[in-house]
PDB file of all heavy atoms in Angstrom:
ATOM      1  N   LYS I  95      19.169   3.163 -39.743  1.00 62.00           N
ATOM      2  CA  LYS I  95      18.194   2.156 -40.169  1.00 62.00           C
ATOM      3  C   LYS I  95      16.823   2.454 -39.582  1.00 62.00           C
ATOM      4  O   LYS I  95      15.814   2.286 -40.251  1.00 62.00           O
ATOM      5  CB  LYS I  95      18.649   0.759 -39.745  1.00 62.00           C
ATOM      6  CG  LYS I  95      19.757   0.195 -40.596  1.00 62.00           C
ATOM      7  CD  LYS I  95      20.076  -1.218 -40.172  1.00 62.00           C
ATOM      8  CE  LYS I  95      21.191  -1.789 -41.005  1.00 62.00           C
ATOM      9  NZ  LYS I  95      21.489  -3.172 -40.620  1.00 62.00           N
ATOM     10  N   GLU I  98      15.227   5.138 -41.530  1.00 89.00           N
ATOM     11  CA  GLU I  98      14.784   4.637 -42.828  1.00 89.00           C
ATOM     12  C   GLU I  98      13.470   3.872 -42.693  1.00 89.00           C
ATOM     13  O   GLU I  98      12.589   3.990 -43.539  1.00 89.00           O
ATOM     14  CB  GLU I  98      15.866   3.748 -43.455  1.00 89.00           C
ATOM     15  CG  GLU I  98      15.596   3.345 -44.878  1.00 89.00           C
ATOM     16  CD  GLU I  98      15.606   4.477 -45.892  1.00 89.00           C
ATOM     17  OE1 GLU I  98      16.164   5.555 -45.611  1.00 89.00           O
ATOM     18  OE2 GLU I  98      15.040   4.297 -46.978  1.00 89.00           O
ATOM     19  N   ARG I 112       3.158  -7.263 -62.719  1.00 90.00           N
ATOM     20  CA  ARG I 112       2.317  -8.334 -63.253  1.00 90.00           C
ATOM     21  C   ARG I 112       2.785  -9.691 -62.758  1.00 90.00           C
ATOM     22  O   ARG I 112       3.977  -9.916 -62.583  1.00 90.00           O
ATOM     23  CB  ARG I 112       2.363  -8.351 -64.786  1.00 90.00           C
ATOM     24  CG  ARG I 112       1.739  -7.147 -65.434  1.00 90.00           C
ATOM     25  CD  ARG I 112       0.220  -7.196 -65.344  1.00 90.00           C
ATOM     26  NE  ARG I 112      -0.382  -6.089 -66.025  1.00 90.00           N
ATOM     27  CZ  ARG I 112      -0.803  -4.968 -65.464  1.00 90.00           C
ATOM     28  NH1 ARG I 112      -0.662  -4.794 -64.184  1.00 90.00           N
ATOM     29  NH2 ARG I 112      -1.357  -4.020 -66.167  1.00 90.00           N
ATOM     30  N   GLN I 113       1.824 -10.591 -62.599  1.00 88.00           N
ATOM     31  CA  GLN I 113       2.132 -11.982 -62.308  1.00 88.00           C
ATOM     32  C   GLN I 113       1.758 -12.776 -63.548  1.00 88.00           C
ATOM     33  O   GLN I 113       0.591 -12.792 -63.945  1.00 88.00           O
ATOM     34  CB  GLN I 113       1.385 -12.460 -61.076  1.00 88.00           C
ATOM     35  CG  GLN I 113       1.876 -11.765 -59.820  1.00 88.00           C
ATOM     36  CD  GLN I 113       1.211 -12.247 -58.562  1.00 88.00           C
ATOM     37  OE1 GLN I 113       0.081 -12.694 -58.586  1.00 88.00           O
ATOM     38  NE2 GLN I 113       1.928 -12.153 -57.459  1.00 88.00           N
ATOM     39  N   ILE I 114       2.768 -13.395 -64.147  1.00 87.00           N
ATOM     40  CA  ILE I 114       2.575 -14.121 -65.395  1.00 87.00           C
ATOM     41  C   ILE I 114       3.178 -15.512 -65.247  1.00 87.00           C
ATOM     42  O   ILE I 114       4.386 -15.647 -64.997  1.00 87.00           O
ATOM     43  CB  ILE I 114       3.246 -13.383 -66.579  1.00 87.00           C
ATOM     44  CG1 ILE I 114       2.675 -11.974 -66.703  1.00 87.00           C
ATOM     45  CG2 ILE I 114       3.083 -14.166 -67.870  1.00 87.00           C
ATOM     46  CD1 ILE I 114       3.394 -11.090 -67.691  1.00 87.00           C
ATOM     47  N   ASN I 126      12.594   2.026 -73.451  1.00 52.00           N
ATOM     48  CA  ASN I 126      12.589   0.949 -74.428  1.00 52.00           C
ATOM     49  C   ASN I 126      12.036  -0.320 -73.787  1.00 52.00           C
ATOM     50  O   ASN I 126      12.755  -1.088 -73.177  1.00 52.00           O
ATOM     51  CB  ASN I 126      14.007   0.716 -74.951  1.00 52.00           C
ATOM     52  CG  ASN I 126      14.047  -0.296 -76.075  1.00 52.00           C
ATOM     53  OD1 ASN I 126      13.011  -0.830 -76.467  1.00 52.00           O
ATOM     54  ND2 ASN I 126      15.227  -0.552 -76.580  1.00 52.00           N
ATOM     55  N   PHE I 134      12.233  -6.663 -64.418  1.00 89.00           N
ATOM     56  CA  PHE I 134      12.746  -7.124 -63.134  1.00 89.00           C
ATOM     57  C   PHE I 134      11.850  -8.230 -62.602  1.00 89.00           C
ATOM     58  O   PHE I 134      10.630  -8.071 -62.551  1.00 89.00           O
ATOM     59  CB  PHE I 134      12.822  -5.957 -62.152  1.00 89.00           C
ATOM     60  CG  PHE I 134      13.633  -4.813 -62.674  1.00 89.00           C
ATOM     61  CD1 PHE I 134      13.020  -3.759 -63.345  1.00 89.00           C
ATOM     62  CD2 PHE I 134      15.011  -4.799 -62.524  1.00 89.00           C
ATOM     63  CE1 PHE I 134      13.769  -2.710 -63.846  1.00 89.00           C
ATOM     64  CE2 PHE I 134      15.758  -3.752 -63.020  1.00 89.00           C
ATOM     65  CZ  PHE I 134      15.143  -2.711 -63.688  1.00 89.00           C
ATOM     66  N   ASN I 137      10.900 -11.860 -56.228  1.00 93.00           N
ATOM     67  CA  ASN I 137      10.526 -13.049 -55.468  1.00 93.00           C
ATOM     68  C   ASN I 137       9.257 -12.726 -54.679  1.00 93.00           C
ATOM     69  O   ASN I 137       8.730 -11.608 -54.741  1.00 93.00           O
ATOM     70  CB  ASN I 137      11.684 -13.528 -54.571  1.00 93.00           C
ATOM     71  CG  ASN I 137      12.058 -12.530 -53.486  1.00 93.00           C
ATOM     72  OD1 ASN I 137      11.292 -11.632 -53.126  1.00 93.00           O
ATOM     73  ND2 ASN I 137      13.246 -12.686 -52.956  1.00 93.00           N
ATOM     74  N   GLY I 140       9.590  -9.707 -52.362  1.00 94.00           N
ATOM     75  CA  GLY I 140       9.630  -8.473 -53.147  1.00 94.00           C
ATOM     76  C   GLY I 140       8.250  -8.091 -53.657  1.00 94.00           C
ATOM     77  O   GLY I 140       7.871  -6.916 -53.646  1.00 94.00           O
ATOM     78  N   VAL I 143       6.257  -6.669 -50.768  1.00 96.00           N
ATOM     79  CA  VAL I 143       6.696  -5.302 -50.478  1.00 96.00           C
ATOM     80  C   VAL I 143       6.135  -4.347 -51.529  1.00 96.00           C
ATOM     81  O   VAL I 143       5.569  -3.299 -51.196  1.00 96.00           O
ATOM     82  CB  VAL I 143       8.236  -5.215 -50.415  1.00 96.00           C
ATOM     83  CG1 VAL I 143       8.697  -3.764 -50.322  1.00 96.00           C
ATOM     84  CG2 VAL I 143       8.780  -6.029 -49.248  1.00 96.00           C
ATOM     85  N   GLY I 154       8.572   0.311 -41.637  1.00 97.00           N
ATOM     86  CA  GLY I 154       8.447  -0.512 -40.431  1.00 97.00           C
ATOM     87  C   GLY I 154       7.192  -1.371 -40.478  1.00 97.00           C
ATOM     88  O   GLY I 154       7.218  -2.546 -40.109  1.00 97.00           O
ATOM     89  N   ALA I 155       6.091  -0.803 -40.933  1.00 97.00           N
ATOM     90  CA  ALA I 155       4.836  -1.561 -41.052  1.00 97.00           C
ATOM     91  C   ALA I 155       4.970  -2.653 -42.103  1.00 97.00           C
ATOM     92  O   ALA I 155       4.472  -3.768 -41.927  1.00 97.00           O
ATOM     93  CB  ALA I 155       3.687  -0.621 -41.397  1.00 97.00           C
ATOM     94  N   GLU I 163       4.043 -12.772 -42.440  1.00 95.00           N
ATOM     95  CA  GLU I 163       3.724 -13.630 -43.582  1.00 95.00           C
ATOM     96  C   GLU I 163       4.727 -14.777 -43.750  1.00 95.00           C
ATOM     97  O   GLU I 163       4.356 -15.864 -44.171  1.00 95.00           O
ATOM     98  CB  GLU I 163       3.693 -12.774 -44.847  1.00 95.00           C
ATOM     99  CG  GLU I 163       3.341 -13.502 -46.100  1.00 95.00           C
ATOM    100  CD  GLU I 163       1.841 -13.663 -46.308  1.00 95.00           C
ATOM    101  OE1 GLU I 163       1.054 -12.936 -45.667  1.00 95.00           O
ATOM    102  OE2 GLU I 163       1.467 -14.516 -47.110  1.00 95.00           O
ATOM    103  N   TYR I 164       5.967 -14.509 -43.433  1.00 94.00           N
ATOM    104  CA  TYR I 164       7.038 -15.488 -43.665  1.00 94.00           C
ATOM    105  C   TYR I 164       7.737 -15.822 -42.354  1.00 94.00           C
ATOM    106  O   TYR I 164       7.782 -15.020 -41.438  1.00 94.00           O
ATOM    107  CB  TYR I 164       8.061 -14.926 -44.657  1.00 94.00           C
ATOM    108  CG  TYR I 164       7.466 -14.663 -46.014  1.00 94.00           C
ATOM    109  CD1 TYR I 164       6.977 -13.398 -46.349  1.00 94.00           C
ATOM    110  CD2 TYR I 164       7.374 -15.670 -46.962  1.00 94.00           C
ATOM    111  CE1 TYR I 164       6.411 -13.152 -47.586  1.00 94.00           C
ATOM    112  CE2 TYR I 164       6.801 -15.434 -48.207  1.00 94.00           C
ATOM    113  CZ  TYR I 164       6.323 -14.173 -48.509  1.00 94.00           C
ATOM    114  OH  TYR I 164       5.757 -13.933 -49.729  1.00 94.00           O
ATOM    115  N   ILE I 166      10.645 -15.580 -40.901  1.00 93.00           N
ATOM    116  CA  ILE I 166      11.926 -14.889 -41.091  1.00 93.00           C
ATOM    117  C   ILE I 166      12.198 -14.031 -39.854  1.00 93.00           C
ATOM    118  O   ILE I 166      11.281 -13.441 -39.285  1.00 93.00           O
ATOM    119  CB  ILE I 166      11.913 -14.036 -42.382  1.00 93.00           C
ATOM    120  CG1 ILE I 166      13.269 -13.417 -42.666  1.00 93.00           C
ATOM    121  CG2 ILE I 166      10.832 -12.998 -42.346  1.00 93.00           C
ATOM    122  CD1 ILE I 166      13.374 -12.736 -44.019  1.00 93.00           C
ATOM    123  N   ALA I 167      13.436 -13.994 -39.444  1.00 95.00           N
ATOM    124  CA  ALA I 167      13.827 -13.186 -38.286  1.00 95.00           C
ATOM    125  C   ALA I 167      13.635 -11.706 -38.588  1.00 95.00           C
ATOM    126  O   ALA I 167      13.788 -11.259 -39.724  1.00 95.00           O
ATOM    127  CB  ALA I 167      15.278 -13.468 -37.915  1.00 95.00           C
ATOM    128  N   ASP I 169      15.470  -9.063 -37.882  1.00 94.00           N
ATOM    129  CA  ASP I 169      16.635  -8.359 -38.434  1.00 94.00           C
ATOM    130  C   ASP I 169      16.900  -8.744 -39.881  1.00 94.00           C
ATOM    131  O   ASP I 169      17.316  -7.916 -40.683  1.00 94.00           O
ATOM    132  CB  ASP I 169      17.878  -8.566 -37.555  1.00 94.00           C
ATOM    133  CG  ASP I 169      18.279 -10.023 -37.406  1.00 94.00           C
ATOM    134  OD1 ASP I 169      17.419 -10.918 -37.538  1.00 94.00           O
ATOM    135  OD2 ASP I 169      19.476 -10.267 -37.134  1.00 94.00           O
ATOM    136  N   GLU I 172      14.319  -6.872 -41.980  1.00 96.00           N
ATOM    137  CA  GLU I 172      14.707  -5.463 -42.082  1.00 96.00           C
ATOM    138  C   GLU I 172      15.829  -5.278 -43.098  1.00 96.00           C
ATOM    139  O   GLU I 172      15.760  -4.399 -43.959  1.00 96.00           O
ATOM    140  CB  GLU I 172      15.153  -4.968 -40.715  1.00 96.00           C
ATOM    141  CG  GLU I 172      15.568  -3.517 -40.688  1.00 96.00           C
ATOM    142  CD  GLU I 172      15.968  -3.071 -39.290  1.00 96.00           C
ATOM    143  OE1 GLU I 172      15.260  -3.404 -38.323  1.00 96.00           O
ATOM    144  OE2 GLU I 172      16.991  -2.381 -39.187  1.00 96.00           O
ATOM    145  N   LEU I 175      14.487  -5.875 -46.637  1.00 96.00           N
ATOM    146  CA  LEU I 175      13.594  -4.784 -47.038  1.00 96.00           C
ATOM    147  C   LEU I 175      14.389  -3.546 -47.425  1.00 96.00           C
ATOM    148  O   LEU I 175      14.139  -2.938 -48.470  1.00 96.00           O
ATOM    149  CB  LEU I 175      12.615  -4.462 -45.910  1.00 96.00           C
ATOM    150  CG  LEU I 175      11.719  -3.240 -46.117  1.00 96.00           C
ATOM    151  CD1 LEU I 175      10.845  -3.390 -47.348  1.00 96.00           C
ATOM    152  CD2 LEU I 175      10.883  -2.988 -44.875  1.00 96.00           C
ATOM    153  N   LEU I 177      17.474  -3.355 -48.404  1.00 96.00           N
ATOM    154  CA  LEU I 177      18.206  -3.641 -49.641  1.00 96.00           C
ATOM    155  C   LEU I 177      17.281  -3.529 -50.845  1.00 96.00           C
ATOM    156  O   LEU I 177      17.625  -2.927 -51.867  1.00 96.00           O
ATOM    157  CB  LEU I 177      18.849  -5.029 -49.574  1.00 96.00           C
ATOM    158  CG  LEU I 177      19.637  -5.469 -50.795  1.00 96.00           C
ATOM    159  CD1 LEU I 177      20.826  -4.540 -51.049  1.00 96.00           C
ATOM    160  CD2 LEU I 177      20.126  -6.903 -50.624  1.00 96.00           C
ATOM    161  N   GLU I 180      16.583   0.118 -51.576  1.00 95.00           N
ATOM    162  CA  GLU I 180      17.743   0.741 -52.227  1.00 95.00           C
ATOM    163  C   GLU I 180      17.785   0.387 -53.706  1.00 95.00           C
ATOM    164  O   GLU I 180      18.046   1.238 -54.554  1.00 95.00           O
ATOM    165  CB  GLU I 180      19.042   0.337 -51.530  1.00 95.00           C
ATOM    166  CG  GLU I 180      19.270   1.047 -50.219  1.00 95.00           C
ATOM    167  CD  GLU I 180      19.204   2.565 -50.331  1.00 95.00           C
ATOM    168  OE1 GLU I 180      19.853   3.149 -51.238  1.00 95.00           O
ATOM    169  OE2 GLU I 180      18.497   3.189 -49.520  1.00 95.00           O
ATOM    170  N   ILE I 185      16.597   2.260 -59.563  1.00 90.00           N
ATOM    171  CA  ILE I 185      15.934   2.237 -60.870  1.00 90.00           C
ATOM    172  C   ILE I 185      14.747   3.200 -60.934  1.00 90.00           C
ATOM    173  O   ILE I 185      13.970   3.171 -61.877  1.00 90.00           O
ATOM    174  CB  ILE I 185      15.495   0.803 -61.255  1.00 90.00           C
ATOM    175  CG1 ILE I 185      14.469   0.250 -60.256  1.00 90.00           C
ATOM    176  CG2 ILE I 185      16.697  -0.111 -61.395  1.00 90.00           C
ATOM    177  CD1 ILE I 185      13.804  -1.051 -60.692  1.00 90.00           C
ATOM    178  N   ALA I 187      12.030   3.239 -59.199  1.00 93.00           N
ATOM    179  CA  ALA I 187      10.743   2.557 -59.128  1.00 93.00           C
ATOM    180  C   ALA I 187       9.914   3.004 -57.932  1.00 93.00           C
ATOM    181  O   ALA I 187       8.715   2.708 -57.866  1.00 93.00           O
ATOM    182  CB  ALA I 187      10.959   1.040 -59.078  1.00 93.00           C
ATOM    183  N   SER I 192       4.926  13.381 -51.667  1.00 81.00           N
ATOM    184  CA  SER I 192       4.900  14.722 -51.086  1.00 81.00           C
ATOM    185  C   SER I 192       3.700  14.804 -50.158  1.00 81.00           C
ATOM    186  O   SER I 192       2.674  14.195 -50.391  1.00 81.00           O
ATOM    187  CB  SER I 192       4.808  15.784 -52.175  1.00 81.00           C
ATOM    188  OG  SER I 192       3.690  15.550 -52.983  1.00 81.00           O
TER     189      SER I 192
END
Side-chain angles (χ1 to χ4, degrees):
K95 284 184 181 181
E98 189 66 19
R112 293 286 183 262
Q113 293 183 332
I114 302 171
N126 186 0
F134 305 94
N137 64 19
V143 172
E163 182 83 18
Y164 297 94
I166 185 172
D169 60 335
E172 181 179 316
L175 173 60
L177 180 62
E180 284 306 311
I185 62 170
S192 56

